[in-house]
Amino acid sequence: MDLVIKNGMIVTATETYQADIGIEGESIALIGKDLSGDETIDAKGKYVMPGGIDPHTHMELPFMGSISADDFRTGTIAAACGGTTTIIDFAIQGAGQTLREALDIWLEKAAGKACIDYGMHVAIGSMDDDRMAEMGDMVEFGVPSFKIFMAYKGSFMVDDETLYRALLRAKEIGGLITVHAENGDVLNYLINKHVAEGKKEPIWHALSHPPEAEAEATHRAVVLAGMTGAPLYVVHMSSADALEALKEGRSQGFKVYGETCPQYLMFSMEKYEEPNFEGAKFVMSPPLRPKGNSEALWKGLASGDLQAVGTDHCPFNFVGQKDMGKDDFSKIPNGMPGVETRLPLIYHFGVNEGLFSVNRFVELVSTGPARLFGLLPRKGTIAIGADADLVLWDPKKKHKLSKENLHMNVDHSPYEDVTVTGYPAVVLQRGKVIVRDNKFVGEDGAGKFLKRSPIHL
Ligand code: URP
Ligand code: ZN
Ligand code: ZN
C-alpha cells in the first residue's frame, strides 16, 4: 500500500465501522484491520468519510452585470478546506451558442485552475431540434445533467416548451433535468411594480419572489416530469410549499428529487431588514423565507423527502458588487457564498442537534449527489476501487465560520458569529493529502474534469 489511513471510524451512507483504509495510487485498494503501507495517517478519534460532493456551484459566473467572486482556483481551495472534494458547476448556453460551445467556455475557465475534481451541468438557453440532438452528445461526453431556469426573465429564463422538450429528450438519453423553479413572469411583474412604486430596499427582493411563485413552478415542473416519465431535480428549494409539491409528485410515483442549501436552513427573511444595507448579503433567488420554512426543510432532509444539500455557491463582495444595488434591490447581484461551510453547518445543526445520523449526513452531502449525478461508485462512497477522496472529520474540532477563518474570495461571511463543532482535520483527493488543519496543501490546478455516467434513476 502507498498509504494507509489507520484507526479511523469509517462512515458511509449506510455503515459505521472501525477499519483501516489502504490506498494504492489514486484509489482505495483495501479496507481491513492492521494494514500497513509506505506512509500512514493516524485517524484515531476521527470519522473517515467520503469527500463531499457539491452539485451546485457557480464559479466565475457572469451575472447581473458582475462576475461571481470565486474563480475555479479560489473556490475549489475553499471547497476542499470545508471537506468538499468534487463540485459540479454550470456551463450556461448564451445566445447563439451551441451547448458544446458553452461547455467549452466553462471547461476553459476550470482547466489548470480547479484544485479539486469537477463536473459540469449545461444550462439550456434555447431549444431547437439541433440542440435536442446535441443533448445526446453531451451525455456521451460525460455531461448527463442539464439546467432549466424557470426564472430570470430577460436573461437565463426559458419557456415551458423548452422545459418539456428537455425532459422528453433527457428520458431518451439518460439525462437528468435540473430546474430553478420560480415563476419568472410573476417575479418580473412584481419586481417592476415594486421598483416603480419606489419600494427599493432589500426586503422588496423577498416580497417580489413570493413562496407561491416557487411552489407553482415546482408543481409545474413536477407535473411535466410526470407526464414525460423523465427524472427531475429541483435545485435550491427554499419553502415548505415547494417541498409539498415535490412530495406530492413522488407520492404519484414521479421520479422527482430535491436539493436545499444551508442558507435556507439557517436564516429567515428578517435578515433583509438588517440596517446598513446588510440584508443585501442575503439577496439571492429564491430568497430567504418567513420563519417556519427552514424547519420544514430540515424535516425533509431527515425524512428523505429531500435528497441532497448543495450550496448554490455564487459569492459577490459586499463592497463593489452587492452595493451596485444600494438604491435599488433589483440591481443587487443574486447569490451567496457557501461552498466551504456546507459540511460543517449540516453536521453541526443536523447531526449534533440530533436531527439525523452521521450516515444520513454522508448521504446528503456526498453519496446522494454522487448517485443522482452519475458519479457513484467512483465518488461518494468508501469502497474498494473508489477514488480515495476522503475526509478525516474531527467531531470535536470547533471552528468559527468568520471571514478570517475561511478561504472563499469574498469580503464577508454570512455565518460570522457561528461556531460549529465538527470540522475536517485532513482531506485527501485521489490518495493525496490536499488539506491539513484548515490549510490547502494540494497541488495548484490538479483537479480533473469528471466524465459522468448516463443517469437512470
Ligand atoms: O441567487 C442565486 N441563486 N444566484 C445564482 C444563480 C441561481 O439562480 O442559481
Ligand atoms: Zn437558481
Ligand atoms: Zn445556482
Side-chain angles (χ1 to χ4, degrees):
M1 293 299 131
D2 297 328
L3 173 64
V4 173
I5 314 287
K6 285 197 81 69
N7 307 318
M9 186 65 78
I10 296 177
V11 182
T12 69
T14 51
E15 289 178 293
T16 307
Y17 59 100
Q18 185 112 37
D20 300 342
I21 298 177
I23 297 167
E24 257 175 15
E26 299 192 336
S27 321
I28 297 173
L30 211 53
I31 302 172
K33 294 272 175 226
D34 302 323
L35 304 185
S36 54
D38 299 344
E39 272 185 69
T40 303
I41 298 177
D42 187 9
K44 193 164 169 20
K46 314 280 189 299
Y47 289 136
V48 184
M49 307 172 176
I53 298 176
D54 188 343
H56 189 162
T57 66
H58 301 282
M59 307 301 173
E60 254 179 283
L61 173 68
F63 189 39
M64 296 184 71
S66 204
I67 300 181
S68 60
D70 265 315
D71 65 13
F72 276 86
R73 181 174 178 281
T74 59
T76 54
I77 287 175
C81 291
T84 286
T85 51
T86 298
I87 58 166
I88 313 180
D89 208 274
F90 293 83
I92 299 190
Q93 182 197 13
Q97 284 172 355
T98 64
L99 301 181
R100 184 58 209 237
E101 283 165 350
L103 177 63
D104 284 345
I105 290 170
W106 257 263
L107 290 176
E108 193 151 321
K109 293 187 203 209
K113 278 211 265 180
C115 298
I116 61 171
D117 291 353
Y118 57 96
M120 292 286 173
H121 315 276
V122 176
I124 295 170
S126 66
M127 180 67 92
D128 53 20
D129 290 345
D130 289 346
R131 296 294 75 74
M132 276 177 91
E134 218 196 340
M135 284 175 70
D137 303 339
M138 291 292 103
V139 175
E140 272 175 37
F141 187 73
V143 177
S145 46
F146 303 88
K147 173 78 167 280
I148 293 287
F149 284 97
M150 300 170 79
Y152 302 123
K153 192 165 181 172
S155 61
F156 299 158
M157 178 172 155
V158 295
D159 61 15
D160 289 347
E161 181 178 352
T162 303
L163 169 57
Y164 190 65
R165 291 175 77 146
L167 286 162
L168 286 171
R169 183 71 176 134
K171 169 127 175 26
E172 288 172 356
I173 58 179
L176 174 62
I177 301 302
T178 74
V179 281
H180 173 137
E182 288 186 287
N183 184 320
D185 286 313
V186 169
L187 306 190
N188 194 52
Y189 172 82
L190 290 173
I191 292 166
N192 290 334
K193 175 177 184 295
H194 290 145
V195 171
E197 290 170 354
K199 296 167 173 164
K200 297 187 182 175
E201 298 78 19
I203 184 67
W204 290 99
H205 171 75
L207 298 173
S208 304
H209 292 69
E212 291 87 344
E214 184 188 7
E216 184 280 324
T218 305
H219 173 73
R220 190 166 12 122
V222 164
V223 170
L224 297 182
M227 284 168 68
T228 58
L232 176 80
Y233 178 89
V234 185
V235 301
H236 53 39
M237 297 189 71
S238 70
S239 70
D241 289 351
L243 179 53
E244 281 307 311
L246 187 80
K247 277 160 71 174
E248 168 63 21
R250 286 172 74 77
S251 74
Q252 294 191 46
F254 304 164
K255 299 174 194 163
V256 291
Y257 306 89
E259 159 201 283
T260 190
C261 310
Q263 53 271 32
Y264 301 117
L265 298 161
M266 294 292 298
F267 302 121
S268 60
M269 67 187 279
E270 284 70 29
K271 279 275 168 205
Y272 295 120
E273 302 199 273
E274 286 192 351
N276 304 322
F277 194 59
E278 284 285 312
K281 292 178 180 171
F282 303 89
V283 166
M284 68 203 151
S285 297
L288 300 175
R289 299 303 190 189
K291 286 202 166 81
N293 284 278
S294 44
E295 287 76 4
L297 297 172
W298 278 116
K299 272 196 195 134
L301 292 176
S303 66
D305 290 327
L306 288 167
Q307 290 73 34
V309 179
T311 60
D312 193 15
H313 176 78
C314 190
F316 293 101
N317 287 309
F318 188 61
V319 178
Q321 294 189 296
K322 288 285 184 183
D323 58 8
M324 288 161 56
K326 211 166 26 58
D327 302 317
D328 176 353
F329 75 84
S330 71
K331 298 198 167 65
I332 302 171
N334 285 199
M336 267 185 65
V339 77
E340 188 170 5
T341 45
R342 181 181 62 131
L343 268 66
L345 287 168
I346 300 302
Y347 183 85
H348 181 86
F349 291 98
V351 179
N352 290 350
E353 290 292 317
L355 299 184
F356 43 74
S357 69
V358 68
N359 309 93
R360 180 77 190 145
F361 166 74
V362 170
E363 171 70 27
L364 289 168
V365 301
S366 178
T367 315
R371 185 184 300 111
L372 288 159
F373 288 103
L375 286 168
L376 204 68
R378 177 173 172 195
K379 306 279 193 194
T381 194
I382 296 182
I384 290 171
D387 283 0
D389 293 355
L390 300 170
V391 180
L392 277 53
W393 186 267
D394 183 344
K396 298 214 170 97
K397 187 167 168 183
K398 289 195 187 300
H399 197 90
K400 188 168 183 212
L401 301 178
S402 52
K403 191 198 138 17
E404 72 266 21
N405 292 333
L406 297 170
H407 300 78
M408 297 176 285
N409 185 35
V410 62
D411 63 3
H412 62 278
S413 164
Y415 307 102
E416 194 60 41
D417 296 326
V418 176
T419 298
V420 291
T421 304
Y423 216 76
V426 177
V427 180
L428 292 95
Q429 173 123 73
R430 287 181 277 105
K432 295 228 158 50
V433 173
I434 60 168
V435 174
R436 214 181 262 285
D437 294 328
N438 202 31
K439 276 202 188 63
F440 183 75
V441 295
E443 195 186 320
D444 223 35
K448 284 191 184 160
F449 172 63
L450 296 167
K451 286 181 182 280
R452 293 176 289 127
S453 308
I455 298 167
H456 297 284
L457 298 170

